[in-house]
Amino acid sequence: MRILTKKKTIFLFLLVILFTISIFSTHLSDASARITDLRVIKPKKVHMGNRLKIEGSVQYLGTGLRSFYVSLMVNETQNQTEKISVANFQTINVSFFWTPERNGVYTISLRLYKSPSSFEESIPLNIHVDSISGYQKYTMALYHFNVQYVPGSTTIENRIIEKSFYPLLKMYEHHSTWRCNIELSGYMLEILYHKYPQLLDLLKNLVNEGQIELIVSHYSEQLLVAYPRTDMAKSIEISDTILDSSDLVRSGVFFAQESQWTPGYAGLLNTYDYNTVVVSSDPWYYYLPNRMKMNSPLFYLEDNSSQSLGSDKRLLNVLLHKKDGNVNGIDYHWAYASDGETANTFAYQNNFRYDSQKEQNHEQKLRKIATEYHFVFISEFVAMLREKNVEQEKIPVIPEATWKMRKSEGVWLWMGNNSARYEDDAFIRAYTYRARQKALVAESLLKITRAKGIDVSDEERMLLNIWKQILLAEVSDSTGWFPWEIEVKESVRLTDLALESLDNVIAELKMKLGYQDSLLKVDPSKNTISKVSSINKPVLVPTPPLHITVKGGPYQINYTKGEFGVTLNIKMFLEKKSTVEIRFPAENSIMYSPSLAENTLITLNPSDIHENPYLPLSNGLVIINGSKAIIKHCAERHMAMQWNRGKYIVFKEIAASGNLTYSFTFVEATVYHFTFVDIANSINVYPVLVI
């Protein structure tokens, strides 16, 4: 009896303990969280226009999975809010980016909402924000560094960092009152992180001291206007991750390789917290001579994605560089706005070797400027102009463009104007386009596999590396200003690697899903898959009601039934280098989707611009004569289209000898124009592929 009683006593004791743990666990699962370690990553002295990073940690005091909302509070007003999920005593970091637009003292805190009416707030921090007003003369310096100056040459890549970038940083370190903007790619920052940690520390110190403002616009120096928004979004996201790992904060300023311009900038850049794009004034004077007042270097661009997304129009500041002048009694000046490499090397001419005399000349020039002008960052100058309500003209529709428009004619130089025997712009742009299409299919498979609870961590790492290869292959310098053969081959090499890796990733994911022996139809726009027994063969159809003129050499043309319309397949048989032209009559206005905004449409009338533009058509679409859509298949041959205003459109390239195939889809309808957009995006941007 005693033994039984003892066992019973122990049993009851255990029940009490388990009950207590159960109650305690339930209490903890309902427990809230707290915010710790609030900090602000900022320069030593903060000016209006500086982009700041506010970080904190959320510590969950319970078990199970719980969601909370965290808000950035500025002067006790909710500025931004994010939803977070935490589990099992987890501590996670949260971060926000904030740009003060006025001077003054700001109180910053993070607020964690346990319920709509209950919250916990961090200990607040005060930030003093100064204005740069008070001076009469301002100067800015913009150094554009490009380690892909010669894609494929690691020697030149390293030399740019060691013999140009590093000496420039040391020069600024010796002049504590000088300030500048440095633009570099996420790829260059990644090289610094892995190969040059001490140089990265020097850069971070100059940023923290408030001498350098970083501009990081993309992972690779891409020909961004030739590709859909998705590619540029990937590029920014990858770069922002590298910045975060490097404990650096970029500005809200955007500057693209070749000073590329697209009327579709605003939607994408606003989404990723850019508020200003810096561009050349060339497109203004090329397309709109004497049509704009040009009283100020600052303009604004509307986000026209609102026409398809139903959102309010957002604005993007546009600052023209290399235009000195006076506005509202303020003298502004560009001390430098060019390739960073040419400040202390002769670039190609001396193979990017440091030249002390070149740097001395540059340093002496800055010394002289410093006696008259106050050095400011681009973001600060823009914020000051806006604070003073300086007039900002609205930018009318200006088609895609670059710097040196009279020489380049815009994208024509990068998408068809081949000069060397080894150049093949339309192939390079199509081959890289094909890789990004396949990468989206692989991403869809990955999402479907992950949703089934299957581990895809290896495939995620591989896809990240593949996207980096694709973005590096999309570099502008493999076409354009007289590329070297090594540059052309590098884009091909990287695309080969990406496609080979994609085959492996897709095969692995199909196996994990149990479809290794099946043909799958994948729709990346919907993230759906379906089994198919075979690939449909093209069916010939009668000639559609479309006038077409082909020039350049012997050719054959056939028309096949496509999913959305009639597909035109043109095969050229070139015995020598020839200018290929594929023309369609286009009376009056045209409509097309601008680069980085392929879900939208803009209209160009013959009287809108002064010159006949070359358009990249990043989703292939152009609408002519009101109800006819011509859709270039960008993964076949991706060349520019010229609009001879009010007469015709022409897809054009200077092609080498050989057999070439061009494909277009023709759709004729009196339907809502955005149906054409959906069709073009289904063919090019998010194509359904069978794998």
Side-chain angles (χ1 to χ4, degrees), residues 170-187:
K170 294 298 290 183
M171 184 191 77
Y172 269 88
E173 187 182 36
H174 293 149
H175 298 278
S176 60
T177 61
W178 294 4
R179 309 169 77 219
C180 70
N181 283 82
I182 288 182
E183 187 274 327
L184 49 78
S185 66
Y187 175 59

Side-chain angles (χ1 to χ4, degrees), residues 178-243:
W178 294 4
R179 309 169 77 219
C180 70
N181 283 82
I182 288 182
E183 187 274 327
L184 49 78
S185 66
Y187 175 59
M188 180 173 172
L189 193 60
E190 193 172 45
I191 295 171
L192 295 177
Y193 183 85
H194 291 293
K195 293 177 63 175
Y196 300 96
Q198 291 180 324
L199 207 164
L200 180 60
D201 286 342
L202 174 59
L203 174 63
K204 287 162 67 172
N205 184 59
L206 290 170
V207 169
N208 294 336
E209 288 295 314
Q211 280 191 260
I212 288 176
E213 179 177 62
L214 279 181
I215 299 175
V216 181
S217 305
H218 31 48
Y219 177 73
S220 165
E221 305 288 353
Q222 300 147 243
L223 187 65
L224 60 91
V225 294
Y227 302 94
R229 172 185 172 129
T230 303
D231 298 36
M232 196 59 207
K234 291 279 186 189
S235 193
I236 293 171
E237 289 167 6
I238 292 171
S239 294
D240 281 351
T241 300
I242 296 167
L243 280 160

